[in-house]
């Protein structure tokens, strides 16, 4: 098993550009989520999904879109990047309620 | 408001000394509780978790944590730290029946030789 994979590892964007952060898991987990990590703020939930076709907002959803067409994939889209979106982004998955959450290695995004 | 608090942003201990990292939560009911560790430039790894039952839970790498309902706390301990324990530690909670895992702000641990 590869676990949770994320691409790219690093990305630099200019303000206003769009991009998609990819996340995939091969554990057949129903629940997937995206977090951003900023110094001194821990991890904050952006969006999450409890199954294919079902998504919902977390704490900091503005500026991000998600969709979940398959169990395996949960891409995060930045429609118009802003410097405030400079952060490290983590994707995670878990089997369901009360199970361990597995994290990907992260994507470090810089918006100039 | 529901929250998770790690009061210590940065802790420094000497190698071989004992360690306790604090975590407090503010929820109406007892949530599921987790501790994660993040080494520099890495993702998060689960150290241990508490769902129910015995309030002292054992985890990987020699860590343990004790759930204290009366204090709404879930503190992480290790009797003797190693230089390789230098990392950032996150407490996280999720309410039973809820979907969102909420993280504390993290505690950065530095080990003095």
């Amino acid at each position: 098993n590869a676990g949770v994979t994320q691409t790219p590892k690093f990305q630099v964007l200019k303000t206003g550009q769009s991009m998609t952060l990819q996340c995939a898991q091969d554990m057949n987990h129903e629940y997937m989520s995206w977090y951003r990590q900023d110094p001194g703020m821990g991890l904050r939930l952006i969006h999450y999904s409890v199954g294919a076709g079902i998504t919902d907002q977390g704490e900091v959803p503005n500026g991000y879109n998600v969709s979940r067409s398959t169990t395996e994939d949960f891409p995060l889209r930045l429609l118009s990047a802003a410097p405030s979106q400079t952060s490290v982004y983590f994707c995670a998955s878990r089997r369901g309620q009360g199970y361990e959450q597995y994290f990907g290695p992260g994507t470090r995004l810089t918006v100039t | 408001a529901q929250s998770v608090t790690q009061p210590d942003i940065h802790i420094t201990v000497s190698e071989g000394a004992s360690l306790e990292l604090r975590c407090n939560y503010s929820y109406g009911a007892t949530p599921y509780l987790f501790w994660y560790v993040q080494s520099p430039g890495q993702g998060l790894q689960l150290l241990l978790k508490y769902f129910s039952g015995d309030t002292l839970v054992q985890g990987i790498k020699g860590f343990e944590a004790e759930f204290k309902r009366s204090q709404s706390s879930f503190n992480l301990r290790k009797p003797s730290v190693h230089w390789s324990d230098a990392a950032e530690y996150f407490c996280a909670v999720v309410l039973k029946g809820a979907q969102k895992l909420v993280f504390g702000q993290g505690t950065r641990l530095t080990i003095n030789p």
Side-chain angles (χ1 to χ4, degrees), chain A:
Chain A
N1 283 355
V4 181
T5 58
Q6 291 182 239
T7 56
K9 290 192 187 310
F10 301 95
Q11 182 71 49
V12 180
L13 290 178
K14 294 188 188 305
T15 297
Q17 286 185 315
S18 63
M19 80 158 297
T20 299
L21 307 185
Q22 301 292 345
C23 174
Q25 51 92 8
D26 61 0
M27 298 174 281
N28 201 32
H29 286 172
E30 287 298 315
Y31 183 91
M32 296 185 74
S33 52
W34 276 102
Y35 293 86
R36 60 178 289 172
Q37 183 179 28
D38 302 291
M41 305 193 74
L43 279 79
R44 293 181 292 168
L45 183 64
I46 304 171
H47 285 286
Y48 66 99
S49 167
V50 298
I54 307 169
T55 63
D56 204 348
Q57 297 180 349
E59 296 174 73
V60 289
N62 292 342
Y64 308 95
N65 277 359
V66 292
S67 60
R68 183 102 178 266
S69 57
T70 67
T71 299
E72 294 77 21
D73 301 299
F74 190 45
L76 178 72
R77 280 181 281 276
L78 284 70
L79 299 180
S80 178
S84 61
Q85 294 178 304
T86 293
S87 187
V88 181
Y89 291 84
F90 289 99
C91 180
S93 75
R94 68 172 191 252
R95 193 193 308 178
Q97 259 291 307
Y99 287 93
E100 174 182 353
Q101 187 145 269
Y102 293 84
F103 285 83
T107 294
R108 184 174 293 275
L109 175 68
T110 302
V111 183
T112 61

Side-chain angles (χ1 to χ4, degrees), chain A residues 31 35 37 40-43 45 48 50 57-58 90 94 97-101 103-105, chain B residues 32 34 36 38 42-44 46 49 51 90 94-101 103-105:
Chain A
Y31 183 91
Y35 293 86
Q37 183 179 28
M41 305 193 74
L43 279 79
L45 183 64
Y48 66 99
V50 298
Q57 297 180 349
F90 289 99
R94 68 172 191 252
Q97 259 291 307
Y99 287 93
E100 174 182 353
Q101 187 145 269
F103 285 83
Chain B
Y32 296 131
F34 305 83
Y36 284 86
Q38 183 181 32
Q42 303 296 313
L44 280 78
L46 181 71
K49 59 191 177 189
F51 291 165
F90 292 94
V94 60
L95 272 180
K96 296 173 186 177
Q99 300 295 345
K100 301 177 187 179
L101 184 65
F103 284 82
Q105 302 93 320

